[in-house]
Amino acid sequence: MARTDHSFPAGSGSPAAAPAALRGRGAVTNVRHRFQRDDRVQVDDGWSGSGLPADFVDSVPDNISDDAAKVIPILPDTRHAPPAPKTTVTAEEARKMLSRNDSPDIPFEAAVNPYRGCEHGCVYCYARPTHSYLGYSPGLDFETRLVAKANAVQALRAELSRPGYKPSPINIGSATDPYQPIEREWRLTRGLLELMLETRHPVTIVTKNGLVARDLDLLAALAEQKLVVVYMSITTLDAGMARTLEPRAAAPWRRLEAVRSLTDAGVPVGVLVAPIIPFINDESMEHILQASKAAGAHYASYTVLRLPWEVKTLFEDWLNVHFPDRAQRVLHRVEDLRNGRRNDSNFGSRMRGTGIWADLLRQRFAVATRKLGLNRHRLALDCTRFLRPAAVPGAAAGEPSDFLSPAGAQASSGVPFHGASPAAGGARQLRAAAAGQLSLFD
């Protein structure tokens, strides 16, 4: 049975709306079973129309009576909410791309995020409060009012070309998923990987979207020189749970499929069981690790749910809507993990929690990874191959370089770019249209 190449949920049709400016789930085309009267049973699993894997369809019973209808529709999944408001993307001209980090519990010193906001709509996302700095809400705006750093590649090239720059692994995806659906059109992440390959710069990627396999050519070339590790975030193996928690991220099976494709091509892959939410997905830890190992993953890690700032209220509202029977149990267990609070921002404990329940999770993870043979060695990325790129003309004087943008893109001021198709000269048009509109968050 042939499968299409669309990830789940596909494209821009399904970030969903949930109460209190939350998210819902993407609409799915009805699946139909077709029965023929010639003693053979054929199944139209609706794969190309629904975006669901073939094994989502219930098997056809063997004892079909002669009176059976030729077409028996399956009732639609009532868990799916109506489509959400349309996602909009505005462009900004970033002054710089590299952000430095000295947190002792984060394994990288430098990060790059080509987008602001994330179309995946994960209810637990710790990065949601960052949208407040743009004047947007951390709720629905974070999922639907996105910002693309249209000159991301040129800006990063200028930073890497500086004489005093010293290479260390750059993480792509620390505050936004670099492979969220809009990457299909904007291709900023692919442009960054091309720059990493050109300059022989080590890079790590964190994503929960199977779209990462699109760039297998670049990732395989980087892996040959020990310049890349990809970390796939898998929160659950339950497709229904995933549609609730992460409505526009790739389905769990698609993520495992991407892990397999990457490892088959020689790209080292780790899996992040993140975040672990008590009484929601905590029982899935061992199953996720087992499935990830079977797909070829070499490394694994986990984090416990964090609820900073506005995320706390958003998550609590979501919890009361979707799991009212256990909402208080979940929140009280979070408090047990956070010294009586809903959030803990202290280094060393914010990622894994403290107390007896945190110790239990730590022991479960250690036993599972040991049995599965994960984390037996740590891949050291090679920082000695770095080739400093040629400086971008005018960059030293603060003159932005030209960049390309999809047709119909807007500047962060809301002024559309001129022309109906991508064209050079966009930077000058954006500078003229959005002078003084640079983000507070560069």
Side-chain angles (χ1 to χ4, degrees):
M1 184 180 298
R3 291 185 173 182
T4 61
D5 208 16
H6 301 297
S7 60
F8 173 80
S12 59
S14 63
L22 293 177
R23 72 267 351 114
R25 287 118 334 192
V28 176
T29 305
N30 293 347
V31 181
R32 296 177 180 268
H33 287 182
R34 301 184 184 277
F35 305 133
Q36 294 190 352
R37 296 293 299 274
D38 59 351
D39 297 327
R40 293 179 300 172
V41 178
Q42 294 186 355
V43 179
D44 176 6
D45 64 4
W47 164 252
S48 60
S50 70
L52 291 173
D55 55 10
F56 182 85
V57 183
D58 293 334
S59 60
V60 181
D62 296 329
N63 55 341
I64 301 174
S65 66
D66 293 337
D67 297 330
K70 291 185 178 181
V71 177
I72 301 178
I74 294 179
L75 294 177
D77 188 345
T78 57
R79 294 172 299 179
H80 291 268
K86 181 181 178 181
T87 297
T88 61
V89 184
T90 57
E92 75 171 6
E93 186 177 0
R95 292 173 293 181
K96 65 184 185 69
M97 288 298 297
L98 283 173
S99 59
R100 296 290 177 179
N101 159 67
D102 58 0
S103 302
D105 53 2
I106 296 180
F108 54 84
E109 298 177 356
V112 166
N113 290 286
Y115 305 105
R116 303 186 194 277
C118 184
E119 208 168 354
H120 286 160
C122 305
V123 65
Y124 51 75
C125 183
Y126 62 84
R128 283 181 175 275
T130 62
H131 237 44
S132 299
Y133 290 88
L134 305 178
Y136 298 151
S137 80
L140 193 58
D141 283 353
F142 181 80
E143 307 167 26
T144 59
R145 300 182 66 176
L146 311 177
V147 177
K149 301 177 183 179
N151 65 329
V153 178
Q154 291 83 351
L156 181 58
R157 177 183 291 274
E159 292 181 83
L160 299 184
S161 67
R162 292 172 182 168
Y165 177 78
K166 295 182 179 180
S168 65
I170 292 176
N171 176 263
I172 304 178
S174 62
T176 183
D177 197 309
Y179 285 102
Q180 59 181 290
I182 60 173
E183 166 64 16
R184 294 181 184 277
E185 181 179 11
W186 283 83
R187 300 171 70 85
L188 296 178
T189 301
R190 182 171 178 86
L192 293 172
L193 290 180
E194 290 172 345
L195 178 60
M196 297 294 98
L197 183 58
E198 174 192 339
T199 59
R200 307 298 190 264
H201 198 294
V203 61
T204 61
I205 300 171
V206 178
T207 183
K208 58 185 62 177
N209 201 315
L211 181 60
V212 64
R214 177 202 64 184
D215 295 336
L216 198 57
D217 55 335
L218 299 175
L219 295 171
L222 287 164
E224 288 179 358
Q225 304 178 62
K226 295 184 178 181
L227 294 175
V228 68
V229 179
V230 176
Y231 293 95
M232 183 65 70
S233 175
I234 303 178
T235 313
T236 177
L237 298 179
D238 185 321
M241 176 69 74
R243 285 192 294 271
T244 301
L245 276 172
E246 310 153 335
R248 296 189 72 184
W253 70 268
R254 175 66 76 181
R255 300 182 215 182
L256 290 171
E257 189 177 73
V259 171
R260 186 173 292 106
S261 297
L262 292 170
T263 54
D264 287 348
V267 180
V269 179
V271 169
L272 306 177
V273 186
I276 292 178
I277 307 173
F279 303 115
I280 300 295
N281 71 336
D282 56 333
E283 77 284 356
S284 302
M285 176 195 285
E286 289 83 358
H287 299 293
I288 295 172
L289 293 175
Q290 184 177 6
S292 301
K293 175 63 177 181
H298 297 88
Y299 317 98
S301 186
Y302 76 96
T303 63
V304 174
L305 175 69
R306 297 168 54 193
L307 297 175
W309 302 101
E310 295 92 341
V311 180
K312 178 172 68 69
T313 301
L314 291 168
F315 180 79
E316 290 175 7
D317 289 345
W318 173 87
L319 196 59
N320 285 313
V321 168
H322 295 283
F323 297 96
D325 59 322
R326 68 188 86 167
Q328 291 306 309
R329 290 184 68 199
V330 173
L331 295 174
H332 288 324
R333 182 56 54 84
V334 170
E335 292 171 354
D336 291 339
L337 290 163
R338 301 297 187 189
N339 293 315
R341 300 186 298 272
R342 298 282 169 86
N343 187 56
D344 176 11
S345 59
N346 294 321
F347 295 140
S349 61
R350 60 177 182 164
M351 298 298 185
R352 301 290 177 87
T354 58
I356 186 173
W357 299 111
D359 290 340
L360 179 59
L361 288 174
R362 189 175 297 109
Q363 293 173 31
R364 286 174 55 191
F365 180 80
V367 170
T369 53
R370 183 173 64 251
K371 286 183 176 180
L372 293 170
L374 294 166
N375 298 340
R376 288 187 174 176
H377 65 278
R378 181 179 295 274
L379 179 67
L381 298 181
D382 191 349
C383 296
T384 65
R385 299 173 180 267
F386 177 65
L387 301 174
R388 197 176 309 280
V392 179
E399 181 73 12
S401 61
D402 293 340
F403 59 82
L404 304 181
S405 59
Q410 290 186 333
S412 56
S413 63
V415 179
F417 289 115
H418 299 292
S421 60
R428 284 191 283 274
Q429 296 167 5
L430 176 58
R431 187 169 64 257
Q437 299 294 323
L438 291 175
S439 170
L440 300 173
F441 224 1
D442 288 300

